Amino acid sequence: MEAKIGRFFESVGDFFSGSDQIPWCDSDIVVFIKQGCEREVNEAEKGSKDELKHECHMRLSWALVHSRRPEDVQRGIAMLEASLVDTNSPLQTREKMYLLAVGYYRSGDYSKSRQLVDRCLEIAPNWMQALNLKRTIEDHIKKDGVIGIGIAATTIGVVFGGIVAAMVRRGRLLEYTFIALSKSQNRILKHFA
């Protein structure tokens, strides 16, 4: 019984904490990767190794969209969108769209993120990373909806409670209740007469 109660409270905590299974990347790691990638890109440009530049670009983009800093996420999104136009390989397109989806998820644009994940899944329908991200996005959208409904219900309850309290203070609630009951009673008596 205690284990069930513990799991219940853990699931409630997970619901409100907003935790997901997408990894984060700390800012010091982003800086480290950026420095390493810039050095590798400079070396690759001397020998014009496009594949090395692409790998560095993808590592840096991955780190940026997984960052906890919103400005890093936005930079990663911008880099990926700019490079997506020049992508010819379906595999590279899929990877870049997935990272874009992560970036948009991290920035709170869940509909754009879901669209990009769906495009990834058109290319690779059984890709587990994309399927997990899609599930995470949909769970977040559902959670936002539940919280929104809760806020709306609370607001309605507070307004209704305020109206009732004001009517009670003025003594009109009993008067309105009595009038409503007497009208109902008159209708019932007319029906049976």
Side-chain angles (χ1 to χ4, degrees):
M1 183 67 172
E2 288 180 30
K4 287 182 180 180
I5 292 171
R7 282 194 303 263
F8 170 75
F9 283 116
E10 184 179 309
S11 68
V12 170
D14 288 345
F15 179 82
F16 286 107
S17 70
S19 63
D20 56 48
Q21 303 302 318
I22 301 170
W24 289 100
C25 188
D26 293 328
S27 58
D28 56 339
I29 295 172
V30 172
V31 170
F32 178 75
I33 290 174
K34 181 179 178 241
Q35 290 171 347
C37 287
E38 286 173 347
R39 186 178 57 250
E40 288 179 29
V41 167
N42 288 336
E43 290 173 13
E45 284 178 353
K46 294 174 187 171
S48 70
K49 297 178 182 174
D50 289 335
E51 188 175 318
L52 181 60
K53 284 191 274 188
H54 170 73
E55 287 176 19
C56 291
H57 185 268
M58 290 302 292
R59 278 197 308 260
L60 181 57
S61 298
W62 185 95
L64 289 170
V65 299
H66 287 87
S67 175
R68 294 182 187 275
R69 295 179 48 210
E71 58 271 12
D72 286 344
V73 174
Q74 291 305 315
R75 182 171 172 225
I77 289 171
M79 285 175 59
L80 288 162
E81 285 179 339
S83 71
L84 193 59
V85 179
D86 300 328
T87 306
N88 297 326
S89 161
L91 179 64
Q92 288 180 3
T93 301
R94 177 194 80 169
E95 290 172 355
K96 288 179 181 181
M97 283 193 298
Y98 173 79
L99 289 176
L100 272 171
V102 170
Y104 280 113
Y105 174 79
R106 290 284 189 224
S107 65
D109 190 346
Y110 305 117
S111 62
K112 180 78 172 175
S113 182
R114 185 169 35 182
Q115 289 172 356
L116 288 162
V117 167
D118 286 340
R119 287 179 56 196
C120 288
L121 291 170
E122 287 173 9
I123 296 169
N126 297 323
W127 190 24
M128 287 307 295
Q129 273 184 290
L131 291 168
N132 289 335
L133 179 58
K134 184 175 182 175
R135 188 176 337 107
T136 300
I137 294 165
E138 289 172 351
D139 289 348
H140 198 88
I141 290 170
K142 286 178 194 173
K143 182 179 82 171
D144 283 354
V146 168
I147 290 171
I149 289 170
I151 290 170
T154 302
T155 303
I156 291 169
V158 167
V159 169
F160 182 72
I163 292 169
V164 168
M167 293 174 82
V168 166
R169 269 190 250 130
R170 292 184 182 160
R172 292 189 177 172
L173 182 61
L174 292 175
E175 182 182 326
Y176 288 125
T177 305
F178 180 73
I179 292 169
L181 287 174
S182 64
K183 285 183 181 179
S184 299
Q185 188 178 21
N186 287 339
R187 277 190 232 131
I188 292 171
L189 290 175
K190 285 181 187 177
H191 185 285
F192 289 108

